[in-house]
Amino acid sequence: MSGFVIAATARLAFLPYVSEDSTYFLIPWMQEFRDHGAAALSGEFSNYNFPYLLLMFLAGLLPVEPLIAIKVASLLGDALLAVSVYALAANYRTIGVSPKLAALIALFLPTVVVNASMWGQCDAIYTAFLVLSLRSLLRNDGRSAWLLWGIAFAFKLQSVFFLPALVLISLRNRYSLRFPIMAFGVWALLSLPPAFFGRSLASTFSVYINQTQEHRLVAGAANVYAWFPTATAEQGRVPALVVCGTALLMTAVAYWRGPDTTERRVLLTITVLAVCPLLLPQMHDRYFFAAEVMALLLLRHKDLFLTPWFFATTGAVVYVLYFLSNQYALPLMLGSVVQCLTVGLLFRALWRRHSGRQELRQPTIGISP
């Protein structure tokens, strides 16, 4: 319990910090709610989807200054993330640590500590639902996996990084096509409420399209395009999409050529969560967040035990660079090299038909209706 108290105390120390995101986006959004109440949902003042805006609106009712209210909403995500990691670790015993310790380690990852309490961001929320979705996949519960992914997608567009793994496992196990339809139905229902306040349907459902208008080829992420800091999205978007698509196809082949064990599902998930922000264009600083958290499942893996530490270290470097206004390109380039090596290790492990001692002693997971 003392560890969780320390985790909470560490977050309290960062609450007064005002990030650029808070200054230019989050605080003005909160002010919209305080000025106009729920009626603010009729406007296009934010490019975040409704579930997060609802949390922001509710937090705005607290008698505290806007910055603190914003961070309270985001810190709820940290608590949810700890619970989800606990639940996943309880079902994936190969992690080698107790569920309680796994949840505590997740809370102490540098990026998790800073994301909500210092930055004011909410990446822990969608990641928590992705963690629960993976838990459902390991339990062979395709319906819950897709529904939980739908909730995650309603919170953040970056949930699509998880989609290749979800689709591949679903195809291999012949899950019903109703499940993805239900998932997108959940996303639609959770996205729809602003339309009831007067916002057009086109505007309501184009929030994520508006998020893809970044003009830079890379926006602070430690990915391969950090080596081309002056390149624009227009110049590199198509080649980057081709490269990423090719890498995902190779990952699919690597997964499909071996048995469909629980461990290989975990490896597939972590790999695609890392490949997407590594190779997609227009990636922001925080987009490896889910991969960092999921990599904790490899803490005691014979060959990949360094993976969580590689992700955590590069994530911390990227965050420091953000708070230094991204003035230094070389550390980001070096970080991208570490990310590439880490993804290479994951791919190599997935490519093997068998994973040696670390492979679970269980038959291939059977086909479910």
Side-chain angles (χ1 to χ4, degrees), residues 6-222:
I6 294 172
T9 303
R11 285 159 169 78
L12 290 175
F14 290 124
L15 289 184
Y17 183 85
V18 184
S19 67
E20 287 188 10
D21 281 11
S22 296
T23 300
Y24 296 110
F25 302 105
L26 302 175
I27 292 176
W29 297 352
M30 177 62 76
Q31 198 58 52
E32 284 286 329
F33 282 124
R34 291 199 162 176
D35 290 343
H36 305 290
L41 291 169
S42 64
E44 300 182 0
F45 63 92
S46 168
N47 65 349
Y48 274 26
N49 208 22
F50 173 74
Y52 173 74
L53 295 181
L54 175 62
L55 289 180
M56 179 176 279
F57 167 71
L58 294 175
L61 300 177
L62 297 173
V64 295
E65 62 180 274
L67 178 66
I68 302 302
I70 290 165
K71 294 187 176 182
V72 166
S74 297
L75 286 171
L76 291 175
D78 284 6
L80 180 61
L81 181 64
V83 171
S84 67
V85 169
Y86 182 100
L88 177 56
N91 279 266
Y92 188 66
R93 296 295 186 178
T94 308
I95 188 175
V97 299
S98 69
K100 182 178 178 180
L101 180 57
L104 190 60
I105 293 173
L107 287 176
F108 275 102
L109 285 174
T111 50
V112 175
V113 172
V114 173
N115 186 272
S117 62
M118 192 170 181
W119 204 324
Q121 281 292 346
C122 58
D123 296 276
I125 300 176
Y126 85 89
T127 300
F129 286 107
L130 294 185
V131 169
L132 293 174
S133 181
L134 176 58
R135 175 179 179 268
S136 294
L137 286 176
L138 300 187
R139 295 161 62 92
N140 224 29
D141 182 358
R143 178 184 288 105
S144 295
W146 274 100
L147 291 177
L148 288 163
W149 178 81
I151 297 173
F153 186 53
F155 272 98
K156 271 296 187 79
L157 174 61
Q158 288 73 49
S159 298
V160 297
F161 299 163
F162 184 86
L163 195 55
L166 183 55
V167 169
L168 285 168
I169 294 170
S170 297
L171 288 174
R172 190 161 185 177
N173 291 272
R174 301 180 186 176
Y175 292 156
S176 172
L177 287 175
R178 291 176 298 173
F179 298 166
I181 294 173
M182 291 165 60
F184 283 101
V186 167
W187 162 75
L189 286 174
L190 292 176
S191 304
L192 182 61
F196 297 124
F197 290 88
R199 189 169 180 174
S200 70
L201 285 175
S203 175
T204 298
F205 288 110
S206 63
V207 169
Y208 288 160
I209 295 176
N210 295 332
Q211 290 182 13
T212 63
Q213 304 307 308
E214 172 64 53
H215 67 278
R216 294 169 293 177
L217 183 58
V218 60

Side-chain angles (χ1 to χ4, degrees), residues 158-169 171 225 239-257 267-281 283 343 347 350-351:
Q158 288 73 49
S159 298
V160 297
F161 299 163
F162 184 86
L163 195 55
L166 183 55
V167 169
L168 285 168
I169 294 170
L171 288 174
Y225 310 113
L241 290 174
V242 171
V243 169
C244 186
T246 302
L248 289 175
L249 180 60
M250 293 173 62
T251 302
V253 171
Y255 162 66
W256 213 278
R257 69 192 295 269
L267 285 175
L268 171 67
T269 300
I270 299 171
T271 302
V272 299
L273 283 172
V275 165
C276 288
L278 181 71
L279 299 176
L280 282 174
M283 295 292 98
V343 169
F347 181 81
L350 186 62
W351 185 261

